[in-house]
Amino acid sequence: VGTLEPRSLIEPIRRLLSRIGGYYLEARAEDVDFENQLVEVSGAYNSEGRRFYVPYDKLIIAVGSESMTHGVQGLEHCNFLKSIADARDIRKKVMENFEIASLPTTTEEERRQLLSFVICGGGPTGVEFAAELCDLLYEDLVGYFSAIPPEDVQVSIIQSPGHILNTYDLKISEMTEAKFKRDRINVTTNARVVKVNPKSVVYKEKASGKEYEIPFGVCLWSTGVGMTPLVKALVAKLPAGSQSNKHAIETDGYMRVVGAPEETVYAIGDCATIRKFYQLLVAIATGNVFRGLTLLTLCMLLAQPHFVDQVMKFFEEHDTNGDHVLDYQEFQELSGKIIKKHSILKVFLAHLDDVFKKYDKDGSGTLDYDEIRSFLVDAEKQCTALPATAQVANQQGRFVGKRINTIFSIEDDSEAVVKLPPFQYKHLGSLAYIGGSDAVLDMGKGMVYGGIGSEYLWRSIYFSEQVSVRTRLLLLMDWSKRAMFGRDISKF
């Protein structure tokens, strides 16, 4: 939206690798030969399509993801936000639409269509895009295009769940919705996009089943992540039954790809997901009885390191009186641990009294094994493992780097390797900019922050995460230019 220059955010990887004597090839991974430990590669700028092989001792798959389509037709008419090129395309389209809309030959209906901006998906990406776009439109562009009435400019969000920012605390969702209402951003929840036409979006209300159509000049598709073609091909090559997730490569708790040769292939970031802990608990619970021998046998079959200890500790901690049921206090402690591990379940467990009553079907005041199983099944359906954020990928990258270095230093000590701890995600808070010098921060455990000074907290976090002194200085310069001269409204 013209606040920052793209070059202020980009740091060439060769400059980073030169500090550690790294070797870099800019090329496209086409396939992986897991047995012979080779990556088949084609040159990124090689028009002849010549391929070559790169051998590896350790392979880390970190190729990101594609936007999830959900089977919706017409996504070729949408814009996406996955790269700098995507951002440039959106910026150019916004500016062109304003130029066309200001022409005297443009009809009122055409102008309203050109100046309608629709965001499909109310997660952090969709919300921040809507907020930044709204700032650009009403703080800068409307003032420069005097022929365009401000009321003709519309920004709309279509969200499938009941709230935008549904992975954040409910207070933040409600705060953001109220802020957007004041900023004239239309938010439609409990609605699913069914089709995208060249100039309109068709969505259906979940409650009534009625379909509505919104015209658009720019439509952003931001509704989750899915596998890239490379990841799909790699998953298909792994042993049958080793991979069951349809959206990412499954790894164990050490970020090792399930089904690949042990300790040689890792996956991190958006392209990977850790095999769900609660999904395994559900599998165990199908026997209705948690017996030590059953657990031990199943865990050996699953080949999950330390899983026996984790599960036994899990139930010993929460079934404190050893009566094989959970009372309300035990369930409360269990829920707190679940939320800490999977923050996305905060909304699902927001009203704990109601949740407990829902699963206490016999009204006994406790949850037996069948009721616990039912609860875990529903929780698993709501759980999407770790969020696809830079915070998660950053921690996973650090973990895998440290693990590989540690294994290299103690490779002759097999017992020490086995004792290395699994990956533990530490949630440092969820942050989102919601426009007009406001941002929201969810620290978990009911701690939310927004209002005065929140924008500067948001900026300071992004400033601290820059990878070099050069990008930090350029970032400060861009923010200063925007404060003095406003946003850049050129097309490029």
Side-chain angles (χ1 to χ4, degrees):
V1 295
T3 304
L4 304 173
E5 293 293 334
R7 290 185 182 276
S8 301
L9 304 172
I10 299 171
E11 185 69 17
I13 193 168
R14 288 189 181 277
R15 182 175 291 168
L16 297 174
L17 288 176
S18 66
R19 303 170 188 170
I20 58 172
Y23 181 62
Y24 175 66
L25 292 172
E26 184 161 343
R28 182 178 293 105
E30 303 287 355
D31 199 2
V32 177
D33 184 344
F34 294 115
E35 185 177 348
N36 296 307
Q37 296 186 202
L38 296 169
V39 180
E40 185 178 354
V41 176
S42 64
Y45 307 107
N46 190 342
S47 59
E48 299 177 6
R50 288 180 292 184
R51 298 192 179 191
F52 55 96
Y53 290 90
V54 177
Y56 66 85
D57 295 309
K58 308 288 184 185
L59 174 66
I60 301 173
I61 303 171
V63 296
S65 60
E66 287 187 345
S67 296
M68 197 181 300
T69 64
H70 299 287
V72 176
Q73 296 180 350
L75 295 191
E76 64 272 15
H77 307 302
C78 298
N79 288 87
F80 301 88
L81 263 179
K82 288 290 183 184
S83 67
I84 291 288
D86 291 336
R88 285 173 173 157
D89 290 343
I90 291 173
R91 175 180 176 77
K92 183 179 179 182
K93 199 168 184 179
V94 169
M95 297 308 304
E96 286 178 350
N97 283 8
F98 264 80
E99 295 291 354
I100 297 171
S102 65
L103 296 176
T105 54
T106 303
T107 66
E108 184 177 344
E109 183 180 354
E110 289 172 335
R111 185 169 64 247
R112 290 182 182 276
Q113 178 258 314
L114 288 166
L115 301 179
S116 173
F117 304 92
V118 178
I119 296 103
C120 301
T125 300
V127 165
E128 287 200 333
F129 174 75
E132 293 275 12
L133 180 65
C134 192
D135 287 349
L136 171 67
L137 299 178
Y138 295 117
E139 293 179 8
D140 294 273
L141 293 188
V142 168
Y144 288 108
F145 290 85
S146 56
I148 295 177
E151 59 270 17
D152 283 358
V153 181
Q154 295 290 327
V155 179
S156 305
I157 297 177
I158 302 173
Q159 169 77 329
S160 180
H163 292 278
I164 57 175
L165 293 179
N166 61 302
T167 58
Y168 287 53
D169 191 282
L170 188 59
K171 294 178 184 177
I172 284 182
S173 296
E174 293 173 346
M175 183 192 309
T176 305
E177 288 169 3
K179 172 71 166 55
F180 279 6
K181 186 176 182 179
R182 295 193 299 271
D183 291 344
R184 295 178 292 176
I185 298 177
N186 305 314
V187 177
T188 301
T189 57
N190 287 313
R192 187 175 67 87
V193 175
V194 294
K195 188 179 180 181
V196 180
N197 297 318
K199 294 182 179 181
S200 66
V201 173
V202 180
Y203 69 90
K204 179 188 292 186
E205 282 187 343
K206 290 183 178 179
S208 65
K210 293 181 179 178
E211 290 190 357
Y212 298 89
E213 190 170 0
I214 303 179
F216 70 80
V218 175
C219 178
L220 177 75
W221 187 263
S222 175
T223 61
V225 297
M227 291 183 183
T228 64
L230 174 64
V231 172
K232 290 179 182 178
L234 296 184
V235 168
K237 293 183 67 173
L238 294 169
S242 62
Q243 296 280 324
S244 59
N245 194 289
K246 296 180 180 179
H247 307 301
I249 302 175
E250 282 189 322
T251 71
D252 63 11
Y254 301 88
M255 307 312 301
R256 300 175 299 192
V257 174
V258 178
E262 190 173 351
E263 293 296 356
T264 61
V265 184
Y266 298 82
I268 61 173
D270 291 5
C271 70
T273 183
I274 299 174
R275 180 165 281 177
K276 293 179 185 176
F277 180 65
Y278 296 106
Q279 192 172 14
L280 297 174
L281 285 182
V282 172
I284 296 170
T286 54
N288 294 336
V289 180
F290 293 90
R291 295 190 178 93
L293 182 60
T294 304
L295 280 173
L296 180 60
T297 304
L298 182 57
C299 292
M300 288 175 66
L301 291 173
L302 290 170
Q304 294 291 317
H306 309 299
F307 189 72
V308 178
D309 295 338
Q310 291 173 8
V311 174
M312 295 309 293
K313 183 180 179 181
F314 184 90
F315 285 101
E316 286 172 2
E317 284 180 354
H318 298 96
D319 184 16
T320 53
N321 55 12
D323 59 357
H324 302 293
V325 294
L326 298 184
D327 58 28
Y328 179 75
Q329 184 176 354
E330 292 170 334
F331 180 72
Q332 194 174 26
E333 293 175 359
L334 166 66
S335 300
K337 190 167 184 177
I338 289 176
I339 290 174
K340 187 176 180 181
K341 189 173 181 66
H342 296 279
S343 59
I344 197 170
L345 292 177
K346 282 185 293 187
V347 176
F348 177 65
L349 297 173
H351 304 287
L352 209 56
D353 291 345
D354 296 335
V355 174
F356 188 84
K357 290 177 182 178
K358 176 181 177 181
Y359 294 98
D360 182 19
K361 297 177 182 178
D362 57 5
S364 63
T366 60
L367 300 182
D368 59 27
Y369 290 125
D370 285 335
E371 291 165 342
I372 292 171
R373 185 177 72 242
S374 178
F375 164 72
L376 289 174
V377 167
D378 290 345
E380 191 274 333
K381 290 177 181 177
Q382 299 288 327
C383 181
T384 57
L386 297 178
T389 63
Q391 183 181 163
V392 173
N394 181 285
Q395 292 185 29
Q396 289 176 342
R398 291 177 183 273
F399 170 83
V400 171
K402 183 178 180 180
R403 178 177 175 82
I404 290 175
N405 287 333
T406 303
I407 289 176
F408 178 77
S409 64
I410 60 173
E411 58 182 349
D412 294 331
D413 189 348
S414 57
E415 291 185 5
V417 172
V418 171
K419 291 180 181 178
L420 290 176
F423 174 72
Q424 292 289 331
Y425 171 60
K426 295 179 181 178
H427 187 60
L428 304 178
S430 299
L431 191 66
Y433 177 70
I434 60 174
S437 300
D438 284 327
V440 289
L441 175 64
D442 182 1
M443 294 298 295
K445 299 181 180 179
M447 296 173 60
V448 300
Y449 180 71
I452 299 174
S454 58
E455 180 192 14
Y456 297 99
L457 174 62
W458 174 76
R459 288 188 179 189
S460 67
I461 296 296
Y462 278 93
F463 179 80
S464 67
E465 289 299 319
Q466 295 304 305
V467 296
S468 70
V469 174
R470 184 187 73 88
T471 54
R472 287 191 180 97
L473 290 175
L474 290 174
L475 207 59
L476 287 176
M477 291 171 63
D478 284 349
W479 282 335
S480 300
K481 285 190 296 182
R482 182 254 170 178
M484 290 187 290
F485 308 115
R487 293 176 181 83
D488 179 13
I489 63 167
S490 61
K491 294 180 184 177
F492 307 100

